[in-house]
Amino acid sequence: MNEELFLKQAEEIMNAEPWYVASMSNLSALMMQSLEELNWAGFYLVRDGMLVVGPFQGKPACIRIPAGKGVCGTAVAQDRIQVVPDVHQFPGHIACDSASESEVVVPIHHGGRVAAVLDIDSPVRGRFNEKNTAVLGELVRRMEEKISWEG
Ligand code: SME
């Protein structure tokens, strides 16, 4: 993966249309094509205290995840990035796609609160290293600056 190119393309996507639905849709596609060995890449949105599935690429996924549940809900409850090298070792992991072996979830903030999470899954155990995680953290930082949550 070319991290610089990936972040540049992400910026272009958000500059072209900052509306969160359009941006998240194209950013899901960008993650899926730029990162090797993924089976799911996308977003969950916080609505009425629950996570609801948003734009993504991959197999149909769980629609609602309560805060505090699974990897995504834990990222929201703790407001911390979750890097899970082996999902089978994560208590309460929610298996939407049985192919998933490792996962990263990054909280996305708006108005001082977690408004969404970025979630990526891999069929390879231990797929995500510090470098991958840092790039996803940087993507989310730029999303927090650029994305429009209106409408
Ligand atoms: N594995 C996640 C659920 C979402 S899917 O990975 C798309 C979790 O435990 O929260």
Side-chain angles (χ1 to χ4, degrees), residues 40 44 61-62 65 69-73 92-96 103 119 121:
W40 203 92
Y44 277 85
C62 328
I65 301 174
K69 300 283 178 199
V71 185
C72 292
H93 168 256
I94 301 164
C96 294
E103 179 164 4
D119 180 15
D121 291 37

Side-chain angles (χ1 to χ4, degrees), residues 4-120:
E4 234 172 82
L5 179 63
F6 172 76
L7 290 170
K8 184 170 173 283
Q9 288 171 324
E11 290 268 346
E12 281 166 8
I13 283 169
M14 291 187 280
N15 287 339
E17 177 49 75
W19 183 43
Y20 73 101
V21 174
S23 283
M24 287 179 173
S25 301
N26 269 334
L27 290 173
S28 304
L30 180 67
M31 288 193 280
M32 208 57 159
Q33 76 170 23
S34 306
L35 287 127
E36 300 85 29
E37 300 171 317
L38 297 189
N39 58 312
W40 203 92
F43 300 90
Y44 277 85
L45 300 155
V46 176
R47 287 174 73 95
D48 300 327
M50 292 279 270
L51 281 167
V52 183
V53 73
F56 71 94
Q57 299 257 313
K59 287 192 180 167
C62 328
I63 296 169
R64 287 186 189 82
I65 301 174
K69 300 283 178 199
V71 185
C72 292
T74 302
V76 174
Q78 296 182 357
D79 192 358
R80 263 178 48 191
I81 185 167
Q82 305 290 313
V83 183
V84 183
D86 180 355
V87 296
H88 306 291
Q89 304 299 320
F90 188 97
H93 168 256
I94 301 164
C96 294
D97 181 346
S98 60
S100 298
E101 293 286 340
S102 55
E103 179 164 4
V104 176
V105 178
V106 188
I108 305 172
H109 302 89
H110 172 63
R113 302 169 64 169
V114 179
V117 296
L118 176 158
D119 180 15
I120 60 174

